[in-house]
Amino acid sequence: MSRRNSSVVAVDVDQQRKLSVAMPDHKQVNHDASRATEMERNMSLREGIKLYPKAVAWSVLLSTAIIMEGFDKVLIGSLFAAPAFKQRYGSQLPDGSWEITAAWQSGLTNGAFVGEFFGLLLNGYIADRFGYRKTMMGALFAVNLFIFIVFFAQNIEMLLVGLICCGVPWGVFQTLSCTYAAEVTPVPLRPILTTYVNLCWVIGQFLASGVLKGVALRPDQWAYRIPYALQWLWPTPILIGIYFAPESPWWLVRKGRDEAAKFMLQRLTSADKHPDFNADETIAMMRHTNELEKAVSEGTSYLDCFRGTDLRRTEIAAMTWFTQAFCGAALIGNSTYFFVQAGLDESNSFSMSLGQYAIGAVGVLIAWALIPRVGRRTLYVFGDLAMVVILCVIGVCGILPKGNTGAQWAIGALLLTFACVYNITVGPVCYAIVAEIPSTRLRQKTVVLARNFYNIASCVGNVLTPRMLNPGAWNWGAKTGFFYAGTCFLCFVWAFFRLPEPKGRTYAELDILFEKKVPARHFKRTVVDSFHGDGDSGSDYGVEKNGAHAYLEAVNSKDMA
């Protein structure tokens, strides 16, 4: 890389002036924050784990709620293939078989999304006001109660009400675990702990598929009531554990409670494991970042997510999640039903779904090895492209006669391959990007808006996908792959031009990159000075500075350790 390809951006003089006014001890904070930032830059993954083992443990505990949600959400789509469930809640077709109508399949799936939509919006306010810990505990208590409605549902309308109610706390779990992981861990651990959320989804889906494999073919009501009852295993133990969890130090700093933030940081770390770690300096870095963002925008409302540079950050977070809804992942969520409509019998369909989620878990582990080396953007963009190709081949197999056994198993194998690619790339990387891209002051609300954008997109997908697959509706079967190949290609085009690389960046550095309007494809090679003014209150992207080359090499290689 030549020096002329390296650019340097720094803090505006106006922002420096605002920082000095907001913090009387600005010089000391600047010095301490600079030391803490440098320590995080040079920290390897192994050092991060040694220094933050308790943060890793607490983050894993909060993310366990996603295992529960993944378990619950798979039940919705997979039970559509269970004979007893179809006979209890479905309609009889002219050939004498029973089926949940496409309208009710969409209604039940989207009912959960409606609940999640309102749960997410509430989460943006409640978590900002009361903190992550109390909000999570309240959501876990609520889901314990709402499971009663689903378990005792006497008709499909009551089941819909139960799923809407369950969706409210599910919305809280979706974003809170991800943002908590982003705030309690340092730069080298962020991609691991945020993408772990996707692994939790896969684990939950795998467990649900295993349960369904064992009971779904029962002829009585326990084919679906046993899986619903097992949902009660999760909330209470997780709630008890979270009662003892530390609050996010970043949230406490935003509330002006610096001493409490320091105490929580000490609970999250093992300071004796890293000689350069200083809790006061790390809190200074949080204060510096918080005041830097306030110098750009004081607001913390939902509307502020659509103002200034935060609009671009909201777009990136929203589109990154939107891609999950229209890259073909809906076929994974409805995989059991998809396999049945592709020609496999119920038993083999449940077995294939079980294998799919096991492969997905391995995919996330592979992603952990790749993300620090190749970055988020590269994995995401190439993942989109690979999925386009696989979906096209699935569509081609769908053109072949339905009685073609080889084509049926080929479709199954291709969907397993698709699930593996998805869980190496778009699936887990999405959570890292969505958690890292927003400003720290608007993180919770930006992630909420992004997730709700995903939920709206999923609602559209959940109206279309059952109709594509259902023999009583459009009956496309595997030809549905063509539709999602087209939408996935459009997502690929967006990612190529608009998705930046946040690899190895502190939150303050990301703030400056967005404030200076650095193009997405130039994020990786732009050097950021977070602690010195540049003498220009406007955009200075492209300014060259001596020494940028050596510093840039350090930025690009720091995650490789």
Side-chain angles (χ1 to χ4, degrees):
M1 183 181 298
S2 64
R3 183 174 299 180
R4 65 176 179 274
N5 290 330
S6 304
S7 299
V8 179
V9 290
V11 183
D12 286 339
V13 171
D14 288 345
Q15 293 172 354
Q16 285 279 21
R17 189 179 302 114
K18 290 178 181 179
L19 286 172
S20 62
V21 171
M23 296 184 293
D25 56 345
H26 173 246
K27 287 187 177 180
Q28 184 62 45
V29 170
N30 214 35
H31 175 266
D32 291 348
S34 178
R35 285 177 55 84
T37 299
E38 191 62 27
M39 189 201 76
E40 284 207 13
R41 280 185 185 139
N42 297 324
M43 187 185 296
S44 68
L45 177 61
R46 181 176 297 178
E47 289 172 337
I49 294 172
K50 285 183 178 180
L51 180 58
Y52 284 84
K54 289 176 278 189
V56 171
W58 289 119
S59 177
V60 167
L61 176 64
L62 260 75
S63 296
T64 305
I66 299 295
I67 298 179
M68 171 181 66
E69 187 188 355
F71 182 94
D72 299 347
K73 294 288 284 289
V74 162
L75 297 183
I76 300 174
S78 295
L79 284 174
F80 294 156
F85 184 87
K86 290 192 286 187
Q87 191 164 353
R88 180 71 176 84
Y89 296 111
S91 303
Q92 194 167 23
L93 298 180
D95 64 0
S97 63
W98 292 84
E99 198 73 51
I100 306 295
T101 65
W104 270 111
Q105 285 185 27
S106 300
L108 291 174
T109 308
N110 287 342
F113 281 115
V114 169
E116 289 169 11
F117 182 88
F118 291 106
L120 284 160
L121 290 177
L122 286 172
N123 178 40
Y125 288 112
I126 296 173
D128 214 27
R129 181 178 177 85
F130 298 106
Y132 297 0
R133 176 176 157 273
K134 291 180 180 178
T135 304
M136 190 64 124
M137 290 172 63
L140 287 164
F141 179 79
V143 80
N144 241 340
L145 301 179
F146 295 146
I147 292 170
F148 279 97
I149 304 175
V150 175
F151 180 79
F152 290 106
Q154 298 301 303
N155 50 54
I156 199 165
E157 292 82 6
M158 186 175 175
L159 184 62
L160 174 62
V161 171
L163 292 174
I164 293 173
C165 291
C166 285
V168 175
W170 288 349
V172 175
F173 304 149
Q174 288 172 357
T175 57
L176 212 58
S177 55
C178 191
T179 51
Y180 184 84
E183 295 201 352
V184 300
T185 55
V187 169
L189 291 181
R190 278 192 335 230
I192 305 299
L193 272 301
T194 51
T195 56
Y196 173 72
V197 171
N198 190 71
L199 179 60
C200 289
W201 270 100
V202 174
I203 292 171
Q205 292 166 336
F206 178 80
L207 292 175
S209 295
V211 170
L212 289 167
K213 170 70 176 171
V215 303
L217 298 182
R218 288 176 60 108
D220 56 15
Q221 63 176 334
W222 296 107
Y224 51 90
R225 295 208 189 276
I226 288 174
Y228 284 143
L230 290 175
Q231 294 177 91
W232 275 308
L233 290 176
W234 303 96
T236 301
I238 300 173
L239 191 153
I240 294 171
I242 291 175
Y243 176 80
F244 298 99
E247 185 54 81
S248 162
W250 282 92
W251 181 80
L252 291 165
V253 166
R254 290 194 291 271
K255 295 299 179 182
R257 298 165 57 185
D258 295 349
E259 286 302 316
K262 179 182 176 182
F263 176 71
M264 292 302 172
L265 181 63
Q266 290 169 332
R267 285 190 61 194
L268 291 164
T269 56
S270 297
D272 59 315
K273 301 296 183 182
H274 199 296
D276 296 329
F277 176 76
N278 184 304
D280 290 314
E281 290 176 353
T282 303
I283 296 299
M285 179 180 67
M286 295 178 186
R287 287 182 60 199
H288 178 270
T289 303
N290 186 54
E291 294 300 333
L292 184 64
E293 292 178 0
K294 287 169 68 177
V296 177
S297 173
E298 283 275 0
T300 57
S301 69
Y302 278 116
L303 284 177
D304 289 301
C305 296
F306 299 98
R307 292 172 177 154
T309 58
D310 286 304
L311 174 60
R312 182 185 175 193
R313 301 172 90 153
T314 302
E315 175 221 327
I316 293 167
M319 281 301 299
T320 301
W321 235 327
F322 172 89
T323 299
Q324 281 198 343
F326 274 93
C327 70
L331 298 180
I332 300 176
N334 291 277
S335 60
T336 306
Y337 189 73
F338 177 82
F339 290 135
V340 170
Q341 300 311 318
L344 296 176
D345 61 44
E346 282 87 352
S347 179
N348 284 328
S349 295
F350 281 111
S351 297
M352 290 290 282
S353 293
L354 199 59
Q356 168 192 292
Y357 296 125
I359 289 172
V362 175
V364 177
L365 299 179
I366 296 172
W368 284 355
L370 293 177
I371 289 174
R373 289 166 172 78
V374 303
R376 289 78 155 149
R377 172 185 160 85
T378 303
L379 267 183
Y380 198 91
V381 171
F382 279 95
D384 277 339
L385 190 58
M387 288 188 291
V388 169
V389 175
I390 296 170
L391 288 165
C392 285
V393 179
I394 288 176
V396 170
C397 291
I399 297 174
L400 300 175
K402 195 168 183 179
N404 188 321
T405 305
Q408 294 169 5
W409 284 103
I411 290 168
L414 285 165
L415 194 60
L416 294 183
T417 305
F418 178 90
C420 184
V421 172
Y422 173 83
N423 283 292
I424 292 174
T425 58
V426 172
V429 175
C430 168
Y431 290 95
I433 294 171
V434 166
E436 291 177 312
I437 288 297
S439 64
T440 62
R441 291 176 60 77
L442 288 171
R443 177 178 290 120
Q444 192 63 36
K445 289 185 172 66
T446 302
V447 175
V448 162
L449 289 171
R451 185 67 188 189
N452 264 339
F453 188 58
Y454 162 84
N455 284 345
I456 292 170
S458 294
C459 284
V460 175
N462 289 332
V463 170
L464 296 176
T465 304
R467 283 168 169 76
M468 294 177 195
L469 300 177
N470 197 300
W474 301 345
N475 196 25
W476 289 6
K479 292 190 289 289
T480 304
F482 286 131
F483 173 83
Y484 281 114
T487 56
C488 188
F489 179 75
L490 295 176
C491 293
F492 161 76
V493 173
W494 171 85
F496 183 81
F497 290 104
R498 298 291 291 169
L499 183 65
E501 177 56 79
K503 173 188 170 186
R505 299 293 189 182
T506 64
Y507 294 128
E509 289 174 331
L510 289 172
D511 290 337
I512 295 169
L513 286 166
F514 279 108
E515 183 64 21
K516 293 298 181 180
K517 300 180 176 62
V518 176
R521 286 178 289 169
H522 296 173
F523 260 54
K524 185 176 181 179
R525 66 173 182 259
T526 301
V527 179
V528 181
D529 185 345
S530 312
F531 303 101
H532 301 94
D534 58 18
D536 178 11
S537 60
S539 173
D540 70 347
Y541 170 69
V543 173
E544 306 292 346
K545 293 191 180 180
N546 292 331
H549 175 68
Y551 180 75
L552 182 62
E553 290 299 323
V555 169
N556 287 338
S557 64
K558 64 186 175 231
D559 277 354
M560 298 290 289

